[in-house]
Amino acid sequence: MTGLLLKWGQGDEDALEQLIPLVHRELHQIAQRCMAGERPDHTLQATVLVNEAYLRLVDAKAVAWNDRAHFLAVAARVMRRILVDHARARRAQKRGGPAARVAFDEALEVTNEPREDFVALDDALEALATFDDRKSRVIELRFFGGLSVEETASVLKVSPETVMRDWRLAKAWLQREMRGDAPRSH
């Protein structure tokens, strides 16, 4: 798979065609994780999310792919962006009605708890990234991407212990931020 990623990064379109069947199941799992808790009538479904991410990834020319974990991390970020863009557009159509608060789910499992407002979570992650990008990336890779501690460590080029420390601190910060009781000076 790494070889196919490298070839694709160098512009080999055939490598991409060989790669997609190998990662399709994992992309679908990421999409399901991202869609967990959405209302049943949501206009985006996991398969549509995978397809949209695929189209955006195909346009990502000349990316220096490192390995499978790096690819899945980028795919998770792309899916998150798609959902946030969709939520922002939906909210704009409603002419700015009040945003629902979402609770940051500590588990990496799919839950039945509603996550109706990806915008609030995205805003909180962006705020975290302004002063600690690595912690923001740890949340993105583990929560949205479903990467293991070891895979996350590999993508970020840090130790698994650092990932776990960042994970705990970032979760606590995000939970406080999402509750709305965070101090305003970061």
Side-chain angles (χ1 to χ4, degrees):
M1 185 168 161
T2 300
L4 289 173
L5 284 167
L6 293 173
K7 287 179 183 178
W8 175 36
Q10 296 167 351
D12 185 344
E13 296 298 322
D14 291 334
L16 175 63
E17 294 303 317
Q18 294 173 33
L19 179 66
I20 292 303
L22 298 176
V23 297
H24 183 77
R25 191 181 100 255
E26 289 176 287
L27 291 175
H28 204 270
Q29 288 171 341
I30 292 170
Q32 287 177 319
R33 191 175 295 105
C34 288
M35 297 295 299
E38 286 291 335
R39 59 187 200 286
D41 64 338
H42 194 284
T43 55
L44 288 178
Q45 298 298 321
T47 301
V48 174
L49 186 56
V50 169
N51 292 340
E52 181 65 27
Y54 172 79
L55 292 174
R56 292 188 187 188
L57 287 167
V58 167
D59 288 340
K61 305 260 189 265
V63 174
W65 300 108
N66 297 327
D67 54 21
R68 175 187 150 281
H70 181 227
F71 174 78
L72 294 176
V74 171
R77 178 170 277 190
V78 166
M79 287 184 200
R80 180 177 142 222
R81 291 273 29 113
I82 292 166
L83 286 170
V84 168
D85 291 347
H86 182 75
R88 286 187 198 282
R90 189 175 68 233
R91 193 158 70 174
Q93 286 178 341
K94 292 181 179 180
R95 305 233 178 229
R101 284 277 177 201
V102 291
F104 177 70
D105 184 1
E106 289 185 20
L108 289 175
E109 303 168 5
V110 173
T111 70
N112 291 328
E113 184 175 319
R115 291 190 301 170
E116 298 168 351
D117 191 0
F118 273 97
V119 175
L121 180 56
D122 184 63
D123 289 346
L125 279 172
E126 292 297 324
L128 176 60
T130 62
F131 65 89
D132 198 328
D133 186 58
R134 190 179 70 210
K135 284 182 182 62
S136 177
R137 295 280 323 274
V138 166
I139 293 294
E140 182 177 61
L141 294 171
R142 299 217 51 231
F143 183 71
F144 290 104
L147 271 60
S148 70
V149 170
E150 292 75 19
E151 290 170 323
T152 301
S154 173
V155 168
L156 297 177
K157 296 178 177 37
V158 297
S159 71
E161 293 79 16
T162 298
V163 168
M164 285 307 298
R165 184 173 46 254
D166 285 353
W167 175 244
R168 284 189 301 273
L169 291 170
K171 282 194 314 184
W173 188 90
L174 282 170
Q175 287 169 337
R176 190 181 72 221
E177 187 78 8
M178 298 300 292
R179 283 193 309 263
D181 57 347
R184 288 295 141 214
S185 62
H186 299 292

